Amino acid sequence: MPAVVTSHGGHMPEHDGKITFYVILCVIISAFGGLLFGYDIGISGGVTAMDDFLIKFFPDVYEKKKRAHEDNYCKYDNEYLQLFTSSLYIAALVASFVASKVCSKFGRRTTLQIGSFFFVAGVALQAGGVNLTMVVFGRIILGCGVGFGNQAVPLFLSELAPARIRGALNICFQLFITIGILIAGIINYFTSNIHPHGWRISLGLAGVPAVILLVGSFAICETPTSLIERDQIDQGKATLRRIRGTDNIAAEFDSIVIASDAARRVKNPFRKLMRASSRPPLVIAIVLQVFQQFTGINAIMFYAPVLFQTVGFGNNAALLSTVITGLVNVFSTLVSIYTVDKAGRRMLLLEACVQMFITQTVIGLLLLLHLKPAGSLSSTEAIVVVVLVCVYVMGFAWSWGPLGWLIPSETFPLETRTAGFACAVSSNMLCTFIIAQAFLSMMCHMKAGIFFFFAAWILVMGLFTLFLLPETKGVPVDSMVDRVWKQHWFWKRYMIDDENDDDNVIKG
Ligand code: BGC
């Protein structure tokens, strides 16, 4: 068995453990947090395009839309609507910092429970909305749900999973995000023809997964890491035994205890995060989120119907194409679940960069040459665009989508894990907000150039992955410092011991 070098210089064997039914149950229930996030991503584009919704809450926008006679690339540019869509992400950004505190003080499970309360309340406010304040308030509460859910679920999954299949289990979060996006696309397809309350059905149906998550969160366990970190040693040991389905847990238990001891010595995790030794996982966590969003994925996820209308599809065909990209998104995520612990993280990310770079560039060229501000693409050209979008989504779905969440959840040492992951979640939300807010205006100003803009980002992220992203496949979460960061040609220079720094440790 390969050995793990502990931070104390000792050696311990690689951890044992089965994939128990209970772990699978916990994975499925917690992944509903991802489903709700995905549903919110997928539902808003369709809802804000529904006339009934606009007439009720944004009458000015509706009037303008009726009168609008703008060119192909500028059809839907409207700041207020974009602000409505993106307000959720600002709320999530702020909430993730609160959630990080809750996560380390009260555990991953409690954080998820609070998140699911927010989800239920937010859905009720939105679906029952009688005025704009109520709907916007509902959206902000939903954002708090996303902040809490996205903080708790990936950490929960990474700590719950045995190291050898951690990637696969963690990616269930992303799988459920994609299922949420797909379900939202299908629901919008039907409700767009239900007048005048189709939008209420679209928003209200999120209540189903929200209630499942709320009820289910009482059936899942807390992670052993979080229990042990909070001094519930016996309970932590018993939970570890239960989820691993074996009594042979001594090695894993010891490594968690060592990590927890180090974590308890840190008084202020956010200050510790500013230290040189935290830089490698922190930079990687933030940069991965920025990169994930600047692949341009949400330009597609939020605005696919708009995009497909831009290239010349009618309303229904555009919604249908959205469902097709949604299906591609779900099935390609399965590829990632299958390969991530075999081929590794780097291979998937690099391959996808090539795939996404080519597709974005070709879409850009096609639109540049054939889509003028007036008129539309030929039907063959429009179909080629849909196929290219699918190939692009495929690449994202087995790489930057899932790994953007997986890698930051597995690379921080326990003492900075929740704080560091909060930085990842909030960077993701900030960049999602920027894209949601700016994409339609960018498309209006940059026209086909927007695709070259994203392609350029993809090139940069490929180079970053090639030179600076270490492989974390199969390394136990609580052994990353020694086995990954201290071994990396570049990042090892930051791994200076600052354990005795007065700012960071509780004296005595
Ligand atoms: C991203 C979302 C994106 C989704 C698409 C997630 O990993 O965080 O912003 O919409 O993937 O499947």
Side-chain angles (χ1 to χ4, degrees):
M1 237 181 232
V4 176
V5 185
T6 70
S7 51
H8 289 207
H11 290 262
M12 56 175 58
E14 201 75 86
H15 311 143
D16 200 1
K18 305 186 192 103
I19 307 160
T20 56
F21 172 74
Y22 186 57
V23 165
I24 308 249
L25 185 77
C26 290
V27 168
I28 293 176
I29 291 173
S30 62
F32 266 85
L35 193 139
L36 279 153
F37 175 44
Y39 192 87
D40 286 323
I41 292 172
I43 209 76
S44 35
V47 166
T48 50
M50 291 181 196
D51 286 349
D52 295 321
F53 180 82
L54 291 179
I55 292 168
K56 186 153 181 70
F57 299 113
F58 297 92
D60 297 349
V61 175
Y62 176 70
E63 284 306 316
K64 220 172 130 196
K65 183 180 158 189
K66 269 200 323 195
R67 276 183 279 116
H69 200 71
E70 290 162 335
D71 74 18
N72 263 331
Y73 291 98
C74 296
K75 267 185 199 157
Y76 286 84
D77 180 17
N78 185 285
E79 277 158 30
Y80 294 109
L81 271 186
Q82 293 184 73
L83 191 60
F84 171 79
T85 302
S86 50
S87 59
L88 183 147
Y89 302 97
I90 288 296
L93 188 163
V94 178
S96 65
F97 285 104
V98 183
S100 116
K101 290 258 178 237
V102 177
C103 219
S104 47
K105 250 190 144 39
F106 302 102
R108 292 39 169 157
R109 180 175 178 245
T110 309
T111 312
L112 193 56
Q113 278 162 347
I114 298 175
S116 51
F117 273 114
F118 279 128
F119 276 124
V120 173
V123 169
L125 278 167
Q126 281 216 311
V130 289
N131 53 37
L132 188 58
T133 319
M134 206 167 151
V135 178
V136 171
F137 189 58
R139 196 141 179 89
I140 291 172
I141 299 287
L142 271 185
C144 295
V146 170
F148 273 69
N150 284 22
Q151 170 75 23
V153 178
L155 286 182
F156 177 82
L157 292 173
S158 280
E159 289 178 350
L160 199 73
R164 64 179 197 289
I165 52 152
R166 184 179 61 244
L169 287 197
N170 184 288
I171 292 175
C172 289
F173 175 64
Q174 174 74 15
L175 180 67
F176 274 61
I177 295 179
T178 60
I179 294 174
I181 296 176
L182 174 65
I183 295 177
I186 295 172
I187 288 176
N188 274 342
Y189 181 68
F190 290 109
T191 56
S192 61
N193 293 320
I194 302 178
H195 303 286
H197 291 304
W199 62 271
R200 274 191 208 280
I201 304 175
S202 284
L203 296 175
L205 282 176
V208 177
V211 169
I212 295 179
L213 181 66
L214 180 60
V215 175
S217 66
F218 287 90
I220 62 178
C221 62
E222 181 52 272
T223 67
T225 308
S226 175
L227 288 166
I228 295 167
E229 186 190 7
R230 289 177 296 124
D231 265 336
Q232 301 173 30
I233 311 284
D234 292 340
Q235 221 177 321
K237 201 175 209 169
T239 307
L240 192 58
R241 235 181 248 128
R242 182 172 182 200
I243 60 174
R244 295 288 175 262
T246 170
D247 284 338
N248 190 13
I249 49 145
E252 186 170 6
F253 178 74
D254 285 348
S255 68
I256 298 177
V257 169
I258 291 168
S260 302
D261 285 346
R264 268 193 296 263
R265 283 203 301 274
V266 174
K267 205 171 32 171
N268 185 337
F270 280 98
R271 188 175 298 168
K272 170 91 178 163
L273 259 191
M274 297 301 120
R275 299 271 149 202
S277 60
S278 299
R279 205 148 306 152
L282 183 64
V283 169
I284 297 241
I286 294 177
V287 160
L288 280 190
Q289 303 300 329
V290 176
F291 285 168
Q292 187 203 58
Q293 290 306 312
F294 281 85
T295 54
I297 187 67
N298 280 326
I300 311 276
M301 292 301 141
F302 293 143
Y303 301 117
V306 177
L307 201 70
F308 290 137
Q309 279 177 18
T310 299
V311 300
F313 284 108
N315 200 15
N316 266 2
L319 279 175
L320 201 60
S321 314
T322 310
V323 173
I324 294 172
T325 52
L327 277 169
V328 170
N329 198 12
V330 173
F331 284 103
S332 311
T333 308
L334 295 175
V335 175
S336 184
I337 292 187
Y338 184 71
T339 46
V340 70
D341 293 310
K342 299 187 179 76
R345 285 69 167 143
R346 279 171 53 85
M347 226 285 282
L348 284 170
L349 291 171
L350 287 170
E351 186 282 335
C353 279
V354 176
Q355 190 169 326
M356 293 191 299
F357 179 80
I358 295 175
T359 42
Q360 290 277 30
T361 310
V362 178
I363 296 175
L365 282 174
L366 238 161
L367 298 194
L368 185 69
L369 298 176
H370 298 285
L371 185 67
K372 302 297 164 211
S376 63
L377 293 182
S378 71
S379 57
T380 323
E381 286 162 344
I383 289 171
V384 171
V385 170
V386 174
V387 171
L388 286 168
V389 168
C390 288
V391 178
Y392 161 83
V393 168
M394 215 181 262
F396 176 89
W398 61 52
S399 60
W400 290 86
L403 301 185
W405 295 107
L406 168 65
I407 295 174
S409 77
E410 64 181 12
T411 42
F412 284 100
L414 185 56
E415 60 264 35
T416 48
R417 190 169 299 153
T418 57
F421 197 67
C423 295
V425 177
S426 53
S427 313
N428 185 290
M429 294 303 145
L430 181 65
C431 296
T432 309
F433 169 79
I434 293 171
I435 296 285
Q437 190 65 30
F439 174 70
L440 293 183
S441 319
M442 279 168 78
M443 187 158 89
C444 185
H445 291 112
M446 296 169 76
K447 309 212 175 339
I450 182 102
F451 293 94
F452 300 123
F453 169 81
F454 288 129
W457 274 95
I458 293 169
L459 192 65
V460 174
M461 61 187 81
L463 293 173
F464 182 90
T465 308
L466 194 59
F467 295 111
L468 292 172
L469 190 81
E471 182 57 69
T472 45
K473 165 185 87 168
V475 183
V477 179
D478 292 310
S479 311
M480 286 292 166
V481 171
D482 298 293
R483 290 184 57 183
V484 173
W485 301 120
K486 287 187 178 171
Q487 314 296 333
H488 190 267
W489 73 273
F490 180 78
W491 298 115
K492 70 179 175 201
R493 73 190 66 186
Y494 294 103
M495 301 316 290
I496 22 177
D497 226 348
D498 58 2
E499 268 181 25
N500 296 324
D501 191 319
D502 279 356
D503 280 348
N504 286 319
V505 297
I506 301 169
K507 289 186 195 141

